[in-house]
Amino acid sequence: MSAINLLLLCGGGSDEHDISLLSAKYFESSLANSPQFQVHKLILDAEGQYKTDDGHCCELTNAGAIRFADGREQILDYVIPCIHGYPGETGDIQSYLELVKLPYFGCNAEASANCFNKITAKMWFDLLDIPNTPFIFLDENSQASVEKATQALSQWGSIFVKAASQGSSVGCYKVDAVEDIETVLQQAFSYSPYVVVEKTILARELEVAVYEYEGEIIATKPGEIVCPSNTFYTFDEKYAADSHAETHVEAPNLDAVISDKIRQYAIKVFKGMKLRHLSRIDFFLTDNNEILLNEINTFPGLTPISMFPKMLTHHGHEFNKFLETSILKQLS
């Protein structure tokens, strides 16, 4: 059997570009001992240019091949679009790969777009009868929007203002004072044409790794993020070497009935939104044991400190075997 030419596509040029490069290294190491794959790697930069690891420009053609500067071409069999944020988790890359008939790893274009947009995702959560955080949405940076956000702050006491179509911690701001609203809205709208205003939930932050394995959808026991008092899990806290957040691959002192309910919700939304291969699904658990779905990451981080691979391993599966079997099943 000839080797499968697999493209590892990473970068993307967004705020999460460097994290995508770290995740790509995890994929490279996971595939290193799988001789059936011939791995090729391209980095997509902020200008939309594909480059090799050594900085040489090339093209990804509509014939499903890499065309190098010297005219050589490498036909591809499969793609791992390891891009966090735009244009990976937004569904843009997936749409292109579908157009050129290249099979790829991860959620399809529609599921990616539905999960990435926080407003669309919340509509899906409601339709699937999965409880989630109370919210309003704003479609323009105007005085009317400032007034709506002010009313929400008055009603809820504290709010989160989030750019609707950005990564989980990009363009996200906690607001406790009315005088901060106008500035924060301006910042959030600089990231996205739509903004979500959510009620601040004082709760445990729980994460579930959900993935397909040998024909079954697996939901791990919830892990937990513990942030310093009165803070939230920002982009910097997620990836900084000096992060003060604590992570537990299995949430301590979590009631078994609550754990099972969270896992049931995770599988329900994975199935209902037609996710594929992998996701990390995040929940809040309040002091009175109210479970609220927070968000879905359709291509979770795979850095050395990321929760998804740790939870998968803790559940008893090896990431490299999960990846290998997922690809081979899709190509069979």
Side-chain angles (χ1 to χ4, degrees):
M1 177 181 175
S2 58
I4 296 167
N5 284 295
L6 183 152
L7 173 61
L8 183 54
L9 182 58
C10 57
S14 75
D15 289 341
E16 300 182 77
H17 179 98
D18 291 341
I19 306 305
S20 296
L21 300 185
L22 290 176
S23 291
K25 289 183 179 179
Y26 192 91
F27 276 106
E28 284 183 291
S29 63
S30 298
L31 294 166
N33 295 320
S34 299
Q36 65 267 52
F37 300 115
Q38 180 65 45
V39 179
H40 309 272
K41 181 180 174 184
L42 292 182
I43 300 170
L44 178 63
D45 67 19
E47 285 71 45
Q49 177 66 63
Y50 297 103
K51 294 181 179 179
T52 60
D53 246 348
D54 54 6
H56 291 100
C57 294
C58 55
E59 299 176 63
L60 188 58
T61 75
N62 290 346
I66 305 171
R67 181 182 296 142
F68 297 96
D70 60 7
R72 289 181 300 113
E73 290 196 357
Q74 174 61 64
I75 298 294
L76 299 169
D77 300 306
Y78 196 83
V79 179
I80 298 178
C82 179
I83 298 177
H84 306 307
Y86 174 81
E89 288 179 274
T90 57
D92 294 80
I93 285 291
Q94 291 82 357
S95 292
Y96 174 74
L97 296 174
E98 289 165 15
L99 282 172
V100 301
K101 311 298 184 186
L102 264 176
Y104 60 88
F105 183 70
C107 296
N108 67 22
E110 184 176 16
S112 298
N114 285 339
C115 291
F116 193 76
N117 186 295
K118 294 177 176 64
I119 297 166
T120 308
K122 282 183 165 292
M123 294 171 67
W124 273 97
F125 302 163
D126 287 342
L127 290 168
L128 290 168
D129 292 323
I130 299 175
N132 57 93
T133 52
F135 74 101
I136 62 171
F137 96 95
L138 308 174
D139 62 357
E140 62 179 354
N141 186 16
S142 64
Q143 187 58 39
S145 292
V146 172
E147 291 171 3
K148 288 180 181 179
T150 300
Q151 291 171 4
L153 177 62
S154 176
Q155 178 183 353
W156 293 331
S158 176
I159 57 175
F160 272 95
V161 174
K162 300 180 179 181
S165 49
Q166 277 291 330
S168 58
S169 304
V170 178
C172 180
Y173 310 92
K174 186 172 184 288
V175 180
D176 297 311
V178 67
E179 59 267 23
D180 296 333
I181 288 177
E182 189 168 353
T183 299
V184 165
L185 285 181
Q186 184 175 357
Q187 292 172 329
F189 273 110
S190 73
Y191 285 101
S192 169
Y194 306 102
V195 164
V196 175
V197 177
E198 290 182 336
K199 178 182 179 180
T200 297
I201 305 296
L202 299 177
R204 297 175 71 176
E205 297 186 39
L206 305 175
E207 302 186 342
V208 180
V210 187
Y211 54 97
E212 295 177 287
Y213 193 84
E214 296 183 348
E216 183 181 0
I217 297 175
I218 305 292
T220 66
K221 291 182 179 180
E224 184 169 14
I225 308 297
V226 181
C227 294
S229 178
N230 201 36
T231 65
F232 71 101
Y233 203 32
T234 65
F235 183 83
D236 289 338
E237 282 290 336
K238 279 184 181 180
Y239 299 114
D242 60 349
S243 172
H244 297 292
E246 296 180 19
T247 59
H248 300 276
V249 71
E250 183 175 336
N253 305 314
L254 184 63
D255 181 84
V257 174
I258 296 295
S259 177
D260 288 344
K261 186 64 175 178
I262 290 171
R263 295 168 75 185
Q264 290 168 18
Y265 279 143
I267 290 175
K268 184 177 183 180
V269 76
F270 190 97
K271 289 180 176 179
M273 294 187 74
K274 310 301 182 191
L275 307 187
R276 188 177 68 167
H277 294 155
L278 80 170
S279 66
R280 197 194 73 239
I281 302 180
D282 301 347
F283 293 85
F284 293 130
L285 178 65
T286 68
D287 288 342
N288 61 356
N289 286 334
E290 182 183 16
I291 300 168
L292 298 171
L293 176 52
N294 180 26
E295 65 179 8
I296 298 172
N297 288 266
T298 53
F299 210 97
L302 294 166
T303 71
I305 62 172
S306 295
M307 288 288 277
F308 180 90
K310 289 182 177 181
M311 289 188 288
L312 182 147
T313 301
H314 184 69
H315 193 79
H317 292 139
E318 297 177 2
F319 184 84
N320 59 339
K321 184 179 178 183
F322 153 69
L323 180 61
E324 182 178 312
T325 55
S326 297
I327 296 171
L328 295 178
K329 179 182 178 182
Q330 193 175 352
L331 292 176
S332 62

